[in-house]
Amino acid sequence: MFDRLQRKWKVSGIQLFLILCTFAIGGSLTGFVGKRIMNLLPLEKGVFWVIVYIILVTLIWPLMVLLVSVFFGQFTFFTKYLRKMGARMGISKNPASSQQKVAIFASGAGSNAQKIIDHFRGSATVRISLIACNKPGAGVLQIAEKEGIPVLLIEKERFFRADAYTSELTAAGIDFVVLAGFLWKIPTALINAYRGRIINIHPALLPNYGGKGMYGQFVHAAVIAAGDKESGITIHYVDEQYDHGATIFQARCPVLPSDTPETLAARIHALEHEYFPKTIESLLENEKVKSKK
Ligand code: GRF
């Protein structure tokens, strides 16, 4: 039960303990203060007394837990918790409903996915809501588990021949799709559902070294074999062709005479980690501006 709560609230064991203490003490304090106030009111004990008491404790309980949460260092958790409860009761707006939900599609180690998750951790406006992956056992799945992010395991047949999982994505409220090391071509059904809202990162300066078969070390080996002095990263919109949609951002780095595909890959990865999360953030900011107009 405690494990489930920890996962649900995304808190450590110690924090869970402090939260439960806050609930317990806040609850007792509510009962105590509630009775004191009732004693001051000129009411006979009876059904009406019980109704007033229930209304009173419902009103003072949030105040009491908030007060106690300060002493246990859990004020931020409880303000969020109470806001969520308020939203469920239709009193306030759900904070999660105003967040833009992002799905990351990845099938590799997931170092970019991790950087993106880290970048948006605790963000009030963006939430990494889903990791989609076509490779059981991929490193990115362990990241998803550690971070408590739901996973969508993609099967070839359904991805290419049926609805490309668009129903799952829309049901999860996904607003934006980020490809971070996802090797399959994106089917038209998915592109149509998210046109202008799917981006990819490619580890070279497109339009060079893109297309089918150009991924991972193959890209870096080709750059080195061509004797290029420069390589880099390209973040671009996704369309029906591999590595083809409009470029959003590029960053460059030198290719050294001593480079191997591995050393060049490390330099490129550093660029990706630095710029991919920031680029996603600025795109989502613009999206928001657009949807507000
Ligand atoms: C990155 O180099 C990216 O450019 C390419 O796939 C790689 C994914 O790496 N599309 P990681 O799994 O994020 O470490």
Side-chain angles (χ1 to χ4, degrees), residues 106-114 140 179-183 200-204 215-216 220 233-234 243 265 268-269 272-273 276:
S107 32
S111 69
N112 279 286
Q114 182 69 69
V140 72
L179 311 185
F182 187 74
L183 299 184
N200 178 44
I201 189 159
H202 186 75
Y215 61 88
H220 308 308
I233 60 167
T234 304
D243 304 323
I268 295 283
H269 254 121
E272 293 183 334
H273 297 165
F276 203 14

Side-chain angles (χ1 to χ4, degrees), residues 200-249:
N200 178 44
I201 189 159
H202 186 75
L205 296 169
L206 292 174
N208 298 329
Y209 308 107
K212 196 168 163 51
M214 272 294 172
Y215 61 88
Q217 306 298 61
F218 296 114
V219 177
H220 308 308
V223 170
I224 292 169
D228 286 5
K229 299 276 172 293
E230 215 177 34
S231 187
I233 60 167
T234 304
I235 299 169
H236 64 96
Y237 287 108
V238 173
D239 66 12
E240 282 82 355
Q241 296 175 46
Y242 266 120
D243 304 323
H244 178 264
T247 295
I248 300 161
F249 176 87

Side-chain angles (χ1 to χ4, degrees), residues 161-215:
R161 296 202 203 292
D163 69 342
Y165 292 87
T166 48
S167 51
E168 263 89 347
L169 296 176
T170 40
I174 300 301
D175 300 300
F176 200 80
V177 174
V178 170
L179 311 185
F182 187 74
L183 299 184
W184 286 352
K185 199 157 175 251
I186 301 301
T188 309
L190 188 50
I191 291 172
N192 283 341
Y194 283 90
R195 196 165 288 278
R197 292 183 295 146
I198 311 185
I199 63 166
N200 178 44
I201 189 159
H202 186 75
L205 296 169
L206 292 174
N208 298 329
Y209 308 107
K212 196 168 163 51
M214 272 294 172
Y215 61 88

